[in-house]
Amino acid sequence: MGQFISTLLCCFRDKGTPTLVLYSINRALIGEVPLGEQIMDLSVSDDSSMVATGGFGRQIRVWAADNLELLHQQGVGAASVRALSFAADGRWVVAGLASGHVSVRAL
C-alpha cells in the first residue's frame, strides 16, 4: 500500500452478485471481490492507495487498491450510503446517507 496506482474501477453484477473489480490502466486485472450488496458510490483516495465503497448494506468498506484487501469496515446506522469521499490526508472518509445525514469516520 502507498504506491501510486492508476486504475479503472468497475462495480457490476455477475450472476446477481455485485462485484468490485479493479483493473490497472493497461487493463490488467488487479483483483475482484464479491460485495454482497448493491453499491451506490465508490471513492478513490487522493494517493490512489485506497478505494471506499458504500451502498444499501449500510457499511463503509475501505479496500487496499493494490490487492483489494479489506482494510476497514464500519457501519453507518439505519440509512444506506449514497455518496463517499476521502479527506485529502486519507485519514477520514465522509459518507452522505439516504437519511440526509453525513457520517465522518476515522480510518
Side-chain angles (χ1 to χ4, degrees):
M1 199 167 89
Q3 74 181 41
F4 180 80
I5 299 172
S6 296
T7 56
L8 170 67
L9 301 167
C10 300
C11 187
F12 70 96
R13 289 191 183 276
D14 180 22
K15 298 182 183 174
T17 302
T19 303
L20 176 66
V21 181
L22 205 61
Y23 292 96
S24 71
I25 198 72
N26 63 359
R27 294 188 261 170
L29 178 66
I30 294 171
E32 60 183 88
V33 61
L35 297 173
E37 67 172 304
Q38 185 177 358
I39 299 303
M40 297 299 292
D41 198 17
L42 61 83
S43 181
V44 179
S45 63
D46 283 356
D47 66 358
S48 299
S49 67
M50 296 179 286
V51 177
T53 60
F56 288 120
R58 301 183 306 265
Q59 300 278 322
I60 298 169
R61 292 182 176 95
V62 179
W63 311 86
D66 58 353
N67 62 10
L68 286 181
E69 174 188 356
L70 183 61
L71 302 174
H72 301 279
Q73 181 173 335
Q74 298 178 335
V76 294
S80 61
V81 176
R82 297 299 174 98
L84 287 169
S85 184
F86 281 95
D89 64 6
R91 295 177 28 202
W92 303 86
V93 66
V94 180
L97 307 179
S99 63
H101 293 95
V102 173
S103 178
V104 180
R105 303 295 171 129
L107 299 177

